[in-house]
PDB file of all heavy atoms in Angstrom:
ATOM      1  N   VAL B 453     -24.748  19.323 -54.811  1.00 98.00           N
ATOM      2  CA  VAL B 453     -25.960  18.691 -54.411  1.00 98.00           C
ATOM      3  C   VAL B 453     -25.592  17.271 -53.888  1.00 98.00           C
ATOM      4  O   VAL B 453     -24.908  16.581 -54.523  1.00 98.00           O
ATOM      5  CB  VAL B 453     -26.985  18.506 -55.477  1.00 98.00           C
ATOM      6  CG1 VAL B 453     -28.231  17.727 -55.179  1.00 98.00           C
ATOM      7  CG2 VAL B 453     -27.536  19.959 -55.944  1.00 98.00           C
ATOM      8  N   LEU B 454     -26.182  16.913 -52.803  1.00 98.00           N
ATOM      9  CA  LEU B 454     -25.841  15.603 -52.193  1.00 98.00           C
ATOM     10  C   LEU B 454     -26.472  14.585 -52.907  1.00 98.00           C
ATOM     11  O   LEU B 454     -27.671  14.636 -53.376  1.00 98.00           O
ATOM     12  CB  LEU B 454     -26.299  15.706 -50.731  1.00 98.00           C
ATOM     13  CG  LEU B 454     -25.848  14.564 -49.806  1.00 98.00           C
ATOM     14  CD1 LEU B 454     -24.331  14.786 -49.349  1.00 98.00           C
ATOM     15  CD2 LEU B 454     -26.816  14.268 -48.708  1.00 98.00           C
ATOM     16  N   THR B 455     -25.750  13.469 -53.090  1.00 97.00           N
ATOM     17  CA  THR B 455     -26.371  12.166 -53.564  1.00 97.00           C
ATOM     18  C   THR B 455     -25.938  11.129 -52.483  1.00 97.00           C
ATOM     19  O   THR B 455     -25.089  11.243 -51.752  1.00 97.00           O
ATOM     20  CB  THR B 455     -25.873  11.682 -54.892  1.00 97.00           C
ATOM     21  OG1 THR B 455     -24.533  11.152 -54.866  1.00 97.00           O
ATOM     22  CG2 THR B 455     -25.937  12.837 -55.892  1.00 97.00           C
ATOM     23  N   TYR B 456     -26.697   9.952 -52.598  1.00 98.00           N
ATOM     24  CA  TYR B 456     -26.316   8.814 -51.721  1.00 98.00           C
ATOM     25  C   TYR B 456     -24.876   8.446 -51.911  1.00 98.00           C
ATOM     26  O   TYR B 456     -24.150   7.874 -50.995  1.00 98.00           O
ATOM     27  CB  TYR B 456     -27.246   7.613 -51.946  1.00 98.00           C
ATOM     28  CG  TYR B 456     -28.584   7.767 -51.409  1.00 98.00           C
ATOM     29  CD1 TYR B 456     -29.677   6.920 -51.956  1.00 98.00           C
ATOM     30  CD2 TYR B 456     -28.900   8.559 -50.419  1.00 98.00           C
ATOM     31  CE1 TYR B 456     -30.914   7.101 -51.542  1.00 98.00           C
ATOM     32  CE2 TYR B 456     -30.113   8.644 -49.956  1.00 98.00           C
ATOM     33  CZ  TYR B 456     -31.253   7.903 -50.500  1.00 98.00           C
ATOM     34  OH  TYR B 456     -32.468   7.996 -49.950  1.00 98.00           O
ATOM     35  N   HIS B 457     -24.288   8.674 -53.060  1.00 97.00           N
ATOM     36  CA  HIS B 457     -22.891   8.304 -53.250  1.00 97.00           C
ATOM     37  C   HIS B 457     -21.933   9.178 -52.348  1.00 97.00           C
ATOM     38  O   HIS B 457     -20.793   8.831 -52.200  1.00 97.00           O
ATOM     39  CB  HIS B 457     -22.526   8.419 -54.780  1.00 97.00           C
ATOM     40  CG  HIS B 457     -22.908   7.238 -55.464  1.00 97.00           C
ATOM     41  ND1 HIS B 457     -22.387   6.876 -56.677  1.00 97.00           N
ATOM     42  CD2 HIS B 457     -23.853   6.321 -55.338  1.00 97.00           C
ATOM     43  CE1 HIS B 457     -23.064   5.897 -57.262  1.00 97.00           C
ATOM     44  NE2 HIS B 457     -23.947   5.482 -56.271  1.00 97.00           N
ATOM     45  N   ASP B 458     -22.345  10.291 -51.978  1.00 97.00           N
ATOM     46  CA  ASP B 458     -21.650  11.175 -51.108  1.00 97.00           C
ATOM     47  C   ASP B 458     -21.558  10.722 -49.614  1.00 97.00           C
ATOM     48  O   ASP B 458     -20.749  11.234 -48.911  1.00 97.00           O
ATOM     49  CB  ASP B 458     -22.036  12.627 -51.256  1.00 97.00           C
ATOM     50  CG  ASP B 458     -21.955  13.176 -52.714  1.00 97.00           C
ATOM     51  OD1 ASP B 458     -20.911  12.867 -53.433  1.00 97.00           O
ATOM     52  OD2 ASP B 458     -22.907  13.710 -53.110  1.00 97.00           O
ATOM     53  N   LEU B 459     -22.467   9.866 -49.294  1.00 97.00           N
ATOM     54  CA  LEU B 459     -22.600   9.564 -47.857  1.00 97.00           C
ATOM     55  C   LEU B 459     -21.671   8.223 -47.612  1.00 97.00           C
ATOM     56  O   LEU B 459     -21.838   7.196 -48.241  1.00 97.00           O
ATOM     57  CB  LEU B 459     -24.083   9.137 -47.608  1.00 97.00           C
ATOM     58  CG  LEU B 459     -25.117  10.237 -47.806  1.00 97.00           C
ATOM     59  CD1 LEU B 459     -26.442   9.582 -47.464  1.00 97.00           C
ATOM     60  CD2 LEU B 459     -24.818  11.263 -46.877  1.00 97.00           C
ATOM     61  N   ALA B 460     -20.850   8.614 -46.649  1.00 96.00           N
ATOM     62  CA  ALA B 460     -19.864   7.449 -46.184  1.00 96.00           C
ATOM     63  C   ALA B 460     -20.080   7.229 -44.758  1.00 96.00           C
ATOM     64  O   ALA B 460     -20.217   8.224 -43.899  1.00 96.00           O
ATOM     65  CB  ALA B 460     -18.394   7.944 -46.454  1.00 96.00           C
ATOM     66  N   PRO B 461     -20.159   5.963 -44.254  1.00 96.00           N
ATOM     67  CA  PRO B 461     -20.430   5.771 -42.947  1.00 96.00           C
ATOM     68  C   PRO B 461     -19.202   6.174 -42.067  1.00 96.00           C
ATOM     69  O   PRO B 461     -18.079   6.017 -42.499  1.00 96.00           O
ATOM     70  CB  PRO B 461     -20.679   4.238 -42.757  1.00 96.00           C
ATOM     71  CG  PRO B 461     -20.056   3.720 -44.004  1.00 96.00           C
ATOM     72  CD  PRO B 461     -20.060   4.803 -45.050  1.00 96.00           C
ATOM     73  N   LEU B 462     -19.416   6.789 -40.803  1.00 95.00           N
ATOM     74  CA  LEU B 462     -18.330   7.230 -40.028  1.00 95.00           C
ATOM     75  C   LEU B 462     -17.645   5.928 -39.427  1.00 95.00           C
ATOM     76  O   LEU B 462     -16.466   5.803 -39.379  1.00 95.00           O
ATOM     77  CB  LEU B 462     -18.854   7.964 -38.802  1.00 95.00           C
ATOM     78  CG  LEU B 462     -17.833   8.840 -38.089  1.00 95.00           C
ATOM     79  CD1 LEU B 462     -16.981   9.687 -38.995  1.00 95.00           C
ATOM     80  CD2 LEU B 462     -18.379   9.716 -37.073  1.00 95.00           C
ATOM     81  N   THR B 463     -18.605   4.951 -38.960  1.00 93.00           N
ATOM     82  CA  THR B 463     -18.040   3.626 -38.649  1.00 93.00           C
ATOM     83  C   THR B 463     -18.532   2.652 -39.546  1.00 93.00           C
ATOM     84  O   THR B 463     -19.847   2.729 -39.784  1.00 93.00           O
ATOM     85  CB  THR B 463     -18.208   3.351 -37.107  1.00 93.00           C
ATOM     86  OG1 THR B 463     -19.651   3.743 -36.984  1.00 93.00           O
ATOM     87  CG2 THR B 463     -17.418   4.087 -36.241  1.00 93.00           C
ATOM     88  N   ALA B 464     -17.938   1.697 -39.943  1.00 91.00           N
ATOM     89  CA  ALA B 464     -18.336   0.723 -40.998  1.00 91.00           C
ATOM     90  C   ALA B 464     -19.548  -0.137 -40.216  1.00 91.00           C
ATOM     91  O   ALA B 464     -19.481  -0.378 -39.166  1.00 91.00           O
ATOM     92  CB  ALA B 464     -17.222  -0.250 -41.474  1.00 91.00           C
ATOM     93  N   PHE B 465     -20.389  -0.544 -41.093  1.00 93.00           N
ATOM     94  CA  PHE B 465     -21.462  -1.453 -40.622  1.00 93.00           C
ATOM     95  C   PHE B 465     -20.950  -2.662 -39.920  1.00 93.00           C
ATOM     96  O   PHE B 465     -19.994  -3.202 -40.392  1.00 93.00           O
ATOM     97  CB  PHE B 465     -22.363  -1.829 -41.861  1.00 93.00           C
ATOM     98  CG  PHE B 465     -23.694  -2.465 -41.464  1.00 93.00           C
ATOM     99  CD1 PHE B 465     -24.714  -1.636 -40.806  1.00 93.00           C
ATOM    100  CD2 PHE B 465     -23.944  -3.752 -41.764  1.00 93.00           C
ATOM    101  CE1 PHE B 465     -25.933  -2.205 -40.571  1.00 93.00           C
ATOM    102  CE2 PHE B 465     -25.325  -4.346 -41.472  1.00 93.00           C
ATOM    103  CZ  PHE B 465     -26.166  -3.441 -40.845  1.00 93.00           C
ATOM    104  N   HIS B 466     -21.687  -3.176 -38.890  1.00 93.00           N
ATOM    105  CA  HIS B 466     -21.043  -4.133 -37.993  1.00 93.00           C
ATOM    106  C   HIS B 466     -20.982  -5.549 -38.844  1.00 93.00           C
ATOM    107  O   HIS B 466     -20.121  -6.318 -38.448  1.00 93.00           O
ATOM    108  CB  HIS B 466     -21.991  -4.369 -36.775  1.00 93.00           C
ATOM    109  CG  HIS B 466     -23.367  -4.679 -37.004  1.00 93.00           C
ATOM    110  ND1 HIS B 466     -23.700  -6.025 -37.098  1.00 93.00           N
ATOM    111  CD2 HIS B 466     -24.439  -3.861 -37.249  1.00 93.00           C
ATOM    112  CE1 HIS B 466     -25.073  -6.079 -37.454  1.00 93.00           C
ATOM    113  NE2 HIS B 466     -25.487  -4.825 -37.438  1.00 93.00           N
ATOM    114  N   ASP B 467     -21.757  -5.739 -39.789  1.00 95.00           N
ATOM    115  CA  ASP B 467     -21.818  -6.961 -40.437  1.00 95.00           C
ATOM    116  C   ASP B 467     -21.021  -6.887 -41.762  1.00 95.00           C
ATOM    117  O   ASP B 467     -21.515  -6.231 -42.734  1.00 95.00           O
ATOM    118  CB  ASP B 467     -23.210  -7.474 -40.694  1.00 95.00           C
ATOM    119  CG  ASP B 467     -23.324  -9.028 -41.065  1.00 95.00           C
ATOM    120  OD1 ASP B 467     -22.349  -9.572 -41.501  1.00 95.00           O
ATOM    121  OD2 ASP B 467     -24.449  -9.503 -41.091  1.00 95.00           O
ATOM    122  N   LYS B 468     -19.918  -7.528 -41.808  1.00 93.00           N
ATOM    123  CA  LYS B 468     -19.132  -7.265 -42.998  1.00 93.00           C
ATOM    124  C   LYS B 468     -19.361  -8.451 -44.018  1.00 93.00           C
ATOM    125  O   LYS B 468     -18.657  -8.491 -45.112  1.00 93.00           O
ATOM    126  CB  LYS B 468     -17.573  -7.290 -42.699  1.00 93.00           C
ATOM    127  CG  LYS B 468     -17.160  -6.557 -41.461  1.00 93.00           C
ATOM    128  CD  LYS B 468     -16.924  -5.017 -41.908  1.00 93.00           C
ATOM    129  CE  LYS B 468     -16.354  -4.250 -40.849  1.00 93.00           C
ATOM    130  NZ  LYS B 468     -17.169  -3.970 -39.664  1.00 93.00           N
ATOM    131  N   ARG B 469     -20.206  -9.453 -43.648  1.00 95.00           N
ATOM    132  CA  ARG B 469     -20.499 -10.526 -44.648  1.00 95.00           C
ATOM    133  C   ARG B 469     -21.039 -10.066 -45.947  1.00 95.00           C
ATOM    134  O   ARG B 469     -21.818  -9.139 -46.045  1.00 95.00           O
ATOM    135  CB  ARG B 469     -21.371 -11.596 -44.032  1.00 95.00           C
ATOM    136  CG  ARG B 469     -20.893 -12.231 -42.843  1.00 95.00           C
ATOM    137  CD  ARG B 469     -21.909 -13.163 -42.203  1.00 95.00           C
ATOM    138  NE  ARG B 469     -23.131 -12.368 -41.650  1.00 95.00           N
ATOM    139  CZ  ARG B 469     -24.246 -12.930 -41.487  1.00 95.00           C
ATOM    140  NH1 ARG B 469     -24.504 -14.072 -41.686  1.00 95.00           N
ATOM    141  NH2 ARG B 469     -25.248 -12.056 -41.038  1.00 95.00           N
TER     142      ARG B 469
END
Side-chain angles (χ1 to χ4, degrees):
Chain B
V453 174
L454 191 82
T455 75
Y456 284 156
H457 281 202
D458 299 318
L459 297 175
L462 195 56
T463 44
F465 195 63
H466 60 89
D467 192 347
K468 311 273 189 301
R469 293 175 296 161

